[in-house]
Amino acid sequence: MITAERKPLEELLGYIAPYGRILLLGCNECVTVCAAGGRKEVGLLASALKMAARKSGKDVEIVEHTLERQCDPEYVEEVAGLVGQADAVVSMACGCGVQQMAMRYAKPVFPALNTRFMGGSERQGVWDERCAGCGNCLLGVTGGICPIARCAKRLMNGPCGGSANGVCEITPDVPCAWHLIWERLEALGQTQQYMEIIPAKDWKTAQGGGPRKIIREDLAE
Amino acid sequence: MEQFEPVIVAFCCHYCAYTAADTAGSQRLSYPAGVKIVRVPCTGKVDAKHLLTAFEKGADGVLVAGCLVGDCHFKDGNVKAARRVEFTKKYLQEIGIEAERLEMAGMSAGQGKEFAETATAITEKIRALGPSPVKGKNSCCGKAA
């Protein structure tokens, strides 16, 4: 999923200061799962913004709504009426959702979240980065553990000298991805895989080639 | 000048603090009338949204009163509630509301005296802090259908 965290309230109050009627728009997908921008978080932020505005002697009207998926035009179309009545939109979706709204509507759209990374749930309330979206997946030869997303140096052929006792030198909280890969290959009986040299990666499939696009010709209209 | 009477919303667990409040009544122990009790099946049911809404609707202070640690009827609802209280305190600080206005307490069903003391203590603390800084104006809120 795409993970995100709420921006500081002060930043959001700065965005909405010139406006009186705000549509606070959540998303039912990734940001709901990572407890950043679902219906519950929309409710919390609406309360907080109203109280903070009231404290500074201003009254702001906040309409709460949560879309099924803010990165799809079909769903974004559904809120045309609500957007029409608002002076500005504060989106609690990831950056994709915010931009979908900004592309569709000629109203100011502000992000309420900082979009962080593509990650998985480690345990309740903890998410970690698992995929860097490099466009050319290596997981098939690295035991299902990504050296791009999980190695601080994005190394392709084994650990650097900063790996000690299975931990990365950047912080003791981060396991060495290549240590994990080796352990996994050992458990799978595939250590010969480690001896295969992975050639230098072509980053054109990542963002090195500029903004990316997928066109499925059988589906595209 | 008339003395400020704080309004405290107390989310009380059915299995302990709510019964403790009842026990306080049976023991004829008084506690401030401004303490408004909301009975919940477990403090683990209390969400940050409930706590913020209490402040939004005019509470000067909020108390979450659950079972003693290790005694939760649902295993660890009180521990989860304590974590949510800490989360909400940070939110309150961002809004500009003193975090001390929100408090978590633990007690058993038989501790009527402790309930009355806790209710009195939080009332006095909030009285010293003064009315909630977001109190006094009506909020205009809307929910989309």
Side-chain angles (χ1 to χ4, degrees):
Chain A
M1 86 190 91
I2 294 173
T3 61
E5 288 177 305
R6 179 176 60 79
K7 281 180 173 290
L9 208 57
E10 198 178 349
E11 183 179 345
L12 299 177
L13 288 166
Y15 287 146
I16 66 169
Y19 308 102
R21 189 177 162 91
I22 306 294
L23 172 61
L24 185 56
L25 197 60
C27 178
N28 268 343
E29 296 287 344
C30 312
V31 291
T32 291
V33 181
C34 69
R39 188 191 288 180
K40 185 187 278 189
E41 291 74 32
V42 165
L44 275 173
L45 183 58
S47 277
L49 288 172
K50 279 184 277 187
M51 284 193 277
R54 205 188 305 164
K55 186 168 182 286
S56 57
K58 197 176 169 249
D59 218 356
V60 62
E61 184 177 357
I62 297 187
V63 175
E64 301 170 34
H65 190 71
T66 302
L67 276 181
E68 193 56 37
R69 193 155 57 239
Q70 224 176 110
C71 55
D72 263 342
E74 293 88 343
Y75 295 109
V76 162
E77 198 58 41
E78 289 175 4
V79 291
L82 293 172
V83 175
Q85 293 161 18
D87 300 328
V89 179
V90 174
S91 166
M92 293 198 84
C94 68
C96 308
V98 176
Q99 290 181 67
Q100 195 77 46
M101 287 295 294
M103 285 189 289
R104 168 60 183 86
Y105 297 108
K107 288 268 172 86
V109 180
F110 301 107
L113 306 181
N114 288 322
T115 305
R116 296 295 307 280
F117 50 79
M118 282 186 278
S121 183
E122 186 187 303
R123 60 182 191 275
Q124 172 80 13
V126 180
W127 298 271
D128 56 12
E129 188 165 11
R130 305 268 175 89
C131 178
C134 72
N136 189 7
C137 191
L138 285 170
L139 291 170
V141 295
T142 58
I145 292 159
C146 180
I148 311 291
R150 299 173 69 176
C151 167
K153 291 178 177 171
R154 302 183 164 198
L155 295 180
M156 299 297 195
N157 291 286
C160 69
S163 172
N165 302 317
V167 172
C168 177
E169 65 183 341
I170 60 165
T171 160
D173 301 335
V174 175
C176 168
W178 274 103
H179 185 95
L180 295 176
I181 290 168
W182 173 257
E183 282 186 335
R184 173 89 172 141
L185 291 176
E186 249 187 342
L188 294 172
Q190 295 176 359
T191 49
Q192 82 286 353
Q193 187 69 61
Y194 185 76
M195 306 314 285
E196 300 284 328
I197 301 295
I198 300 175
K201 192 169 174 63
D202 180 356
W203 292 99
K204 282 206 295 288
T205 56
Q207 253 204 326
R212 294 166 283 178
K213 185 174 276 195
I214 295 172
I215 301 175
R216 271 279 303 267
E217 287 176 357
D218 57 326
L219 297 173
E221 290 175 356
Chain B
M1 186 181 151
E2 202 176 310
Q3 195 182 32
F4 158 58
E5 263 319 306
V7 173
I8 311 290
V9 174
F11 292 96
C12 294
C13 164
H14 166 80
Y15 290 94
C16 50
Y18 184 82
T19 311
D22 210 17
T23 305
S26 305
Q27 293 173 331
R28 297 183 181 275
L29 298 169
S30 64
Y31 58 85
V35 175
K36 315 292 184 191
I37 293 177
V38 178
R39 181 169 66 161
V40 291
C42 171
T43 50
K45 181 67 187 162
V46 179
D47 192 85
K49 176 63 180 158
H50 299 130
L51 304 176
L52 281 193
T53 301
F55 283 106
E56 193 186 335
K57 300 288 181 191
D60 297 298
V62 175
L63 172 68
V64 179
C67 301
L68 296 163
V69 174
D71 280 351
C72 174
H73 190 77
F74 301 100
K75 201 174 163 190
D76 59 359
N78 49 355
V79 176
K80 288 176 175 157
R83 290 209 297 259
R84 282 181 209 140
V85 165
E86 288 308 309
F87 169 82
T88 310
K89 280 186 175 196
K90 289 180 191 154
Y91 228 135
L92 291 178
Q93 281 171 326
E94 278 194 90
I95 297 165
I97 299 173
E98 302 89 338
E100 309 93 277
R101 290 181 185 273
L102 173 62
E103 196 176 291
M104 174 95 197
M107 62 195 70
S108 74
Q111 291 182 303
K113 182 166 170 281
E114 281 73 8
F115 179 86
E117 285 171 356
T118 303
T120 305
I122 189 170
T123 300
E124 291 312 315
K125 182 172 76 174
I126 302 300
R127 200 192 309 280
L129 282 171
S132 161
V134 298
K135 199 174 176 179
K137 286 184 189 171
N138 289 327
S139 67
C140 48
C141 58
K143 267 197 198 273

